[in-house]
Amino acid sequence: MSIYENFGCKQVINASGKMTALGASSVDPSVAEAMGKAAMDYVDIAELMVQAGKVMAEVTGAEDGCPTSGAAGGIAISTAAVIAGTNLSLIERIPNTDGLRNEIIIQKGHSVHFGGSISQMIAIGGGKVVEVGQANHVERDHIAGAVTEKTAALLYVKSHHAVQKGMQSIETMIAISKEKGIPFIIDAAAEDDLKKYIAMGADIVIYSGGKAIEGPTSGFVCGRADLMAACRAQYKGVGRPMKVGKEAIVGLLTALTRYYDRPDESEEQRSRMEWLIEQFKDTPGVKGVIVQDEAGRAIYRANLSFDAKVIGKSAYEIIKELESGNPAIYTRNHYANLGIINVDPRPLLKGQEQIIAERIAQIITSGGNN
Ligand SMILES: *Cc1c(COP(=O)(O)O)cnc(C)c1O
């Protein structure tokens, strides 16, 4: 029974990954418990924001940090912070920044859609987006040459959504930002290394709380102390409609506190996926193997290939039936055109691989429409 069924939503089994559209992460019970306690109590919010920054500093190696509603909110808040600083009159003007130093330089291949538009998040924070180079080719001079007295920051998007080839590196952008004396911001929303970009010299690093960190719907920025004070100050302005609640802050801090000593569940996950594959070893037209994550992380997915000629259904048809059932099952479908469906063990709750195995067996033995 899913709590969401109380409100008329179908139960969802997420075998896909950290998908915002499916609710991103399910938190550890210790995180949920902390959020419950936070929700039933009071705190001086300004004090909580400052103390949260100290935890974020500890975890990331940055000077300070600031909670946000998510990484998208983090982009808007960071942009507003580099433009308005802690000046209240400027803070209250955002997103109107006419006449101010408001340009945010971004490589064209980084001006992407993550589920929302990076450029729009910058614009909400009052930034004027200056895209440099071409979508598949940017030179150092494109970036350095675009810096003027109107430049407020350089922004880099570290993500599989961004173009990977032909862009200038983080190191190059940091070098330019140091040369020109302007802040370097990096959107590392889904990255799992919380120290790397601070150590490289980034002035602001943006993370999502609900992705690698497996916290609640939230996010944070970390970096230079003066810029973090400026980020916090934006909650008197453009940050207000992207307020992050006390429950979310406490949940995020609890997730961050346990980040480095979370139990490694990859072996258990792998054996659950081996069990899943085992269920189809005698099924004609189905072949299962364990496949490690393309990026080399310790994620072992069940890779099931379906022979449409034998089964009478394509992988697309199987996916459609999985998603339209109750519970609705969402798999990882990047290779569906090759007849392959992947099951990601990370978001699966206890025993859900059994429901998935039963449901797939039902679908492939039912021949036509089910
Ligand atoms: C997911 C994502 C975001 C938005 O993160 P939220 O925490 O959902 O607001 C921003 N940038 C990138 C690159 C992302 O992958």
Side-chain angles (χ1 to χ4, degrees):
M1 178 76 187
S2 162
I3 182 80
Y4 295 106
E5 289 177 276
N6 294 354
F7 303 100
C9 300
K10 272 200 294 190
Q11 185 191 354
V12 163
I13 293 182
N14 178 6
S16 169
K18 307 259 168 67
M19 309 297 291
T20 296
L22 299 179
S25 286
S26 62
V27 300
D28 184 77
S30 65
V31 174
E33 195 186 321
M35 292 177 73
K37 287 181 180 162
M40 292 188 283
D41 205 348
Y42 298 94
V43 66
D44 179 333
I45 295 289
E47 185 181 16
L48 177 61
M49 294 294 276
V50 169
Q51 293 304 117
K54 291 182 185 166
V55 175
M56 289 155 185
E58 174 88 2
V59 173
T60 60
E63 290 173 11
D64 196 359
C66 174
T68 63
S69 59
I75 299 170
I77 294 274
S78 306
T79 302
V82 294
I83 297 170
T86 54
N87 180 320
L88 187 58
S89 300
L90 296 184
I91 287 169
E92 291 182 345
R93 256 180 66 178
I94 296 224
N96 172 8
T97 56
D98 292 347
L100 300 177
R101 188 142 62 89
N102 64 355
E103 292 182 358
I104 307 290
I105 296 176
I106 180 169
Q107 306 188 62
K108 201 156 215 163
H110 287 191
S111 181
V112 294
H113 193 272
F114 56 81
S117 147
I118 296 267
S119 301
Q120 185 179 19
M121 305 311 138
I122 295 171
I124 289 169
K128 185 161 167 277
V129 179
V130 176
E131 288 179 11
V132 298
Q134 285 79 40
N136 63 347
H137 176 85
V138 178
E139 296 196 18
R140 191 186 202 282
D141 284 351
H142 283 128
I143 304 168
V147 176
T148 68
E149 74 287 348
K150 297 283 281 177
T151 306
L154 306 185
L155 184 110
Y156 187 101
V157 180
K158 176 77 180 80
S159 166
H160 67 278
H161 294 297
V163 174
Q164 305 297 319
K165 282 187 189 159
M167 297 297 112
Q168 290 295 314
S169 66
I170 298 168
E171 288 87 347
T172 299
M173 281 188 92
I174 289 177
I176 297 168
S177 83
K178 302 263 185 257
E179 250 165 54
K180 309 277 185 184
I182 42 177
F184 173 77
I185 305 172
I186 178 166
D187 174 4
E191 295 301 298
D192 56 13
D193 193 326
L194 304 186
K195 292 188 164 154
K196 180 173 177 182
Y197 308 107
I198 288 295
M200 287 175 80
D203 298 294
I204 301 180
V205 189
I206 300 166
Y207 289 101
S208 181
K211 293 179 178 172
I213 294 161
E214 294 179 348
T217 304
S218 61
F220 72 98
V221 294
C222 57
R224 242 169 60 194
D226 61 323
L227 292 173
M228 292 303 110
C231 285
R232 282 193 289 270
Q234 304 311 312
Y235 285 103
K236 295 179 184 150
V238 75
R240 184 56 192 256
M242 39 187 113
K243 176 168 74 177
V244 48
K246 61 187 191 285
E247 321 75 15
I249 296 174
V250 166
L252 174 63
L253 296 180
T254 308
L256 283 174
T257 306
R258 67 191 290 277
Y259 188 70
Y260 293 112
D261 40 43
R262 281 182 302 177
D264 176 6
E265 288 166 353
S266 59
E267 279 311 312
E268 188 216 329
Q269 289 171 354
R270 187 211 292 249
S271 64
R272 288 167 73 189
M273 292 301 97
E274 279 163 356
W275 178 89
L276 179 66
I277 285 169
E278 180 77 11
Q279 306 311 302
F280 297 100
K281 71 174 195 308
D282 298 324
T283 310
V286 184
K287 226 179 89 218
V289 287
I290 297 285
V291 172
Q292 189 174 359
D293 179 54
E294 299 91 335
R297 295 176 293 178
I299 304 166
Y300 303 95
R301 300 188 179 97
N303 173 295
L304 299 166
S305 41
F306 298 92
D307 186 340
K309 287 205 267 327
V310 178
I311 297 167
K313 281 178 188 175
S314 70
Y316 287 113
E317 289 168 302
I318 296 169
I319 289 164
K320 202 165 151 224
E321 288 191 44
L322 285 170
E323 293 183 0
S324 59
N326 191 2
I329 298 171
Y330 290 89
T331 49
R332 223 174 151 82
N333 306 327
H334 310 314
Y335 301 109
N337 59 326
L338 305 174
I340 292 170
I341 296 175
N342 276 285
V343 174
D344 192 314
R346 291 171 301 162
L348 288 185
L349 307 186
K350 194 159 174 283
Q352 288 185 334
E353 67 274 19
Q354 291 170 19
I355 302 173
I356 295 173
E358 282 161 23
R359 186 79 190 114
I360 291 177
Q362 244 173 30
I363 291 170
I364 59 184
T365 52
S366 69
N369 283 341
N370 190 16

